[in-house]
Amino acid sequence: MREAYHVELDNLAENLARMSSQVADAMERATRALLDSDLGLAEQVISDDVAVDNARADCEEQAYALLALQAPVATDLRVVVAALHAAESLERMGDLALHVAKAARRRHPDPVLPEPVRPYFAKMGEVDVRLARRAEDVIRSKDIEVARSIETDDDEVDDIHRHLFTVIMDKDWPHGVAAAVDVTLLGRFYERYADHAVSVARRIVFVVTGQMPGSSGGSEL
């Protein structure tokens, strides 16, 4: 009975890992759609988002079934609770990639981003995708050192996000209010995506150690 239960826990973790791969693909495609004004890629991200939503629903159904039928304790309970939180964060990552794709579609065939800020978004997209791929690896390996390293990469996105404000607030910004609003919103999407990847990694640390990173002691459920 316990062996079958742990197989179910492993299946739940694998479904979360696949979900992380889905949202990494979504952000990679959304960024390319944004930078290249690629309507086809934008439409693909938009249509694929339903699969991410369905994956979250499946993970939650698995998790609630395990809670109801197995009454897990200790580490097993942490796994199930962490899975519920991680599924929510991963779905939000998919939604944020969706917002990027919708911006690319809304402005098509015109580019969304003025030329001076394009390299910043290319870099944020690269880091965001790397974070999601690393989260996928962490879900499978439960390597807490790799999980903690995700926060370092998140700092890079935060730094770029902050710098964008100095760019658009410069008195010599020549691209108008609409472009400044687009840059502000899109920068926020990339910054929040990275934050959610950090949240997933922190849940894995919680599963392994019983503590959320930064907590002073005791378990958090």
Side-chain angles (χ1 to χ4, degrees):
M1 189 72 168
R2 295 299 295 173
E3 182 178 347
Y5 173 56
H6 282 285
V7 168
E8 288 299 316
L9 285 177
D10 289 343
N11 287 340
L12 177 57
E14 181 58 30
N15 287 340
L16 285 171
R18 284 199 295 267
M19 195 175 173
S20 191
S21 178
Q22 286 177 299
V23 300
D25 289 344
M27 183 54 89
E28 186 170 40
R29 290 169 182 150
T31 301
R32 285 168 51 201
L34 183 70
L35 296 174
D36 299 340
S37 299
D38 190 321
L39 182 60
L41 272 180
E43 294 286 6
Q44 183 178 354
V45 174
I46 293 164
S47 63
D48 286 350
D49 184 63
V50 67
V52 177
D53 295 341
N54 290 339
R56 177 190 176 177
D58 290 344
C59 287
E60 288 186 339
E61 184 177 348
Q62 283 182 281
Y64 286 131
L66 288 167
L67 287 172
L69 300 175
Q70 300 293 341
V73 296
T75 300
D76 291 348
L77 178 59
R78 292 203 298 269
V79 170
V80 178
V81 173
L84 287 168
H85 286 285
E88 180 182 6
S89 289
L90 289 165
E91 186 196 22
R92 286 297 301 138
M93 291 163 73
D95 288 342
L96 290 160
L98 174 69
H99 294 333
V100 174
K102 284 184 174 180
R105 183 177 68 176
R106 185 172 62 251
R107 297 297 189 195
H108 187 270
D110 296 323
V112 180
L113 300 172
E115 190 61 37
V117 301
R118 287 169 56 84
Y120 299 121
F121 282 91
K123 186 60 179 179
M124 285 194 294
E126 175 190 324
V127 176
D128 275 4
V129 172
R130 185 167 72 240
L131 287 169
R133 304 279 185 214
R134 194 171 294 173
E136 177 187 355
D137 291 341
V138 167
I139 291 167
R140 290 194 170 101
S141 69
K142 296 184 175 60
D143 186 324
I144 62 172
E145 293 308 315
V146 175
R148 286 169 173 153
S149 75
I150 288 178
E151 295 202 43
T152 302
D153 281 349
D154 175 54
D155 291 342
E156 186 174 1
V157 176
D158 289 340
D159 289 344
I160 296 172
H161 182 238
R162 282 191 295 268
H163 180 68
L164 283 171
F165 283 105
T166 68
V167 174
I168 63 175
M169 295 301 292
D170 190 287
K171 61 182 177 61
D172 294 323
W173 170 260
H175 304 289
V177 173
V181 170
D182 283 339
V183 169
T184 300
L185 289 175
L186 286 163
R188 179 62 171 165
F189 297 154
Y190 281 89
E191 186 260 344
R192 290 300 297 148
Y193 185 102
D195 285 347
H196 282 293
V198 170
S199 178
V200 173
R202 285 177 171 174
R203 292 294 164 183
I204 301 304
V205 175
F206 171 59
V207 167
V208 175
T209 67
Q211 289 183 246
M212 291 292 286
S215 66
S216 58
S219 296
E220 178 183 319
L221 291 179

